[in-house]
């Protein structure tokens, strides 16, 4: 393994929901500044891995590090941005597109002096407003900033979720199925946006079922089916042989816990 600090590193990691195992003996190392696509069947533990990073799931045992530190420290520092699946959002809540994107800044807003937090929105720290406007522009939603989120199409909702993650200006972007259920123009825009963020040095870690997009855009593909089946270049991991191995959850060494350094 390289001496450089990894974006995400796991050693002998186990996790479960209600005593039902979802991840077993996961050892991996994801480098910074690259795009990793996580692929596997439904229920394979892909989203669970992201949940461990954002703190909504606690590991049973094993070690997890983000940028060389415990995930909680990096979450507090604002270095982890998370884009949830659309169906986990309450879209009937009476909030505008701009206000939704601003929620991505709340962790940073809490770090402002108290007097600044008490000011009206447009008199407060201008960096938050600039970050929100830049994120809306990046996903082509600036003209919809004052619309209620409940009025948006499926593709527009995905764009808003991505803008909220971008507004945080984090070093690591975690995305759970960002391409699911979107129209072709929104898909193209999302992929272009992620390419731009990677070019800025951000680490993109994306759960997806969209193998053609992973093949075209990702630097690495991580195959997971409760255990780690393999990780490597898209052309290698998305071969017929590896996808057949993924379907049965058979890891490369036959035991699980494949250790991979990219």
């Amino acid at each position: 393994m390289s001496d450089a600090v990894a974006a995400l590193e796991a050693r002998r990691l186990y996790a479960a929901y209600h005593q039902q195992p979802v991840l077993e003996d996961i050892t991996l190392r994801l480098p910074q500044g690259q795009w990793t696509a996580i692929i596997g069947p439904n229920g394979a533990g892909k989203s669970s891995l992201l949940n461990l990073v954002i703190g909504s799931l606690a590991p049973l045992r094993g070690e997890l590090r983000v940028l060389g530190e415990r995930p909680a420290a990096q979450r507090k520092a604002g270095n982890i941005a998370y884009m949830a699946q659309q169906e986990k959002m309450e879209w009937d809540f009476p909030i505008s597109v701009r206000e939704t994107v601003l929620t991505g800044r709340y962790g940073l807003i809490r770090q402002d002096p108290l007097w600044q937090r008490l000011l009206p929105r447009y008199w407060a720290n201008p960096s938050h407003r600039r970050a929100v406007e830049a994120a809306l522009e990046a996903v082509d939603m600036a003209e919809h900033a004052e619309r209620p989120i409940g009025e948006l199409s499926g593709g527009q909702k995905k764009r808003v979720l991505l803008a909220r993650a971008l507004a945080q200006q984090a070093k690591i972007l975690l995305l759970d199925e960002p391409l699911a259920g979107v129209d072709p123009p929104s898909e193209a825009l999302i992929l272009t946006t992620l390419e731009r963020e990677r070019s800025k040095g951000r680490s993109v870690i994306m759960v997806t079922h969209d193998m053609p997009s992973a093949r075209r855009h990702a630097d690495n593909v991580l195959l997971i089916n409760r255990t780690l089946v393999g990780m490597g270049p898209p052309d290698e991991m998305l071969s017929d042989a590896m996808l057949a191995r993924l379907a049965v959850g058979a890891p490369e060494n036959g035991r699980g816990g494949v250790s991979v350094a990219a």
Side-chain angles (χ1 to χ4, degrees):
M1 292 188 180
S2 168
D3 291 334
V5 175
L8 178 65
E9 187 168 8
R11 297 179 184 274
R12 307 300 302 273
L13 194 63
Y14 290 76
Y17 287 108
H18 308 296
Q19 298 184 335
Q20 179 64 38
V22 291
L23 291 171
E24 297 184 66
D25 202 13
I26 299 291
T27 295
L28 57 82
R29 193 175 194 277
L30 306 186
Q32 290 191 60
Q34 295 192 12
W35 184 335
T36 299
I38 303 176
I39 291 175
N42 290 332
K46 306 181 301 296
S47 296
S48 299
L49 182 58
L50 300 192
N51 288 336
L52 288 168
V53 179
I54 66 173
S56 62
L57 177 65
L60 290 177
R61 60 183 181 274
E63 185 178 14
L64 181 63
R65 289 288 183 269
V66 177
L67 299 173
E69 298 183 10
R70 295 185 182 276
Q74 296 296 349
R75 291 194 299 269
K76 184 176 181 180
N79 288 328
I80 302 170
Y82 174 60
M83 177 180 171
Q85 292 186 40
Q86 179 173 310
E87 58 267 24
K88 295 181 180 179
M89 292 288 295
E90 180 49 72
W91 293 103
D92 292 330
F93 193 77
I95 188 173
S96 71
V97 167
R98 188 191 308 279
E99 290 166 332
T100 302
V101 176
L102 182 62
T103 63
R105 300 288 298 179
Y106 281 2
L108 298 171
I109 289 172
R110 285 194 291 268
Q111 298 177 22
D112 289 341
L114 178 60
W115 67 268
Q116 236 175 7
R117 284 181 275 156
L118 296 176
L119 290 172
R121 186 177 68 185
Y122 285 98
W123 292 358
N125 186 335
S127 67
H128 305 307
R129 184 169 68 253
R130 288 195 296 265
V132 169
E133 297 304 325
L136 288 169
E137 290 285 350
V139 299
D140 198 22
M141 287 295 291
E143 65 183 273
H144 302 285
E146 303 308 324
R147 288 183 64 186
I149 58 173
E151 295 181 359
L152 303 179
S153 68
Q156 289 172 330
K157 290 175 180 177
K158 287 284 191 179
R159 295 186 194 189
V160 170
L161 291 178
L162 178 55
R164 185 178 65 174
L166 295 178
Q168 189 171 322
Q169 299 176 320
K171 294 180 180 179
I172 297 175
L173 290 173
L174 302 179
L175 307 110
D176 198 350
E177 296 287 0
L179 306 177
V182 304
D183 54 277
S186 291
E187 177 178 314
L189 186 146
I190 289 169
L191 291 170
T192 298
T193 301
L194 294 178
E195 284 189 336
R196 183 168 58 246
E197 294 304 308
R198 175 184 54 185
S199 72
K200 295 176 181 177
R202 292 192 172 92
S203 304
V204 176
I205 302 174
M206 179 181 79
V207 168
T208 185
H209 283 94
D210 190 330
M211 287 186 282
S213 293
R215 191 184 298 274
R216 290 194 304 270
H217 298 279
D219 300 300
N220 307 297
V221 170
L222 189 158
L223 301 179
I224 190 169
N225 192 354
R226 200 163 74 178
T227 61
L228 183 60
V229 176
M231 179 177 165
D235 287 346
E236 179 183 337
M237 290 296 107
L238 299 178
S239 66
D240 290 344
M242 289 302 297
L243 292 176
R245 187 174 293 173
L246 175 67
V248 297
E252 288 181 333
N253 64 0
R255 295 179 288 102
V258 180
S259 177
V260 181

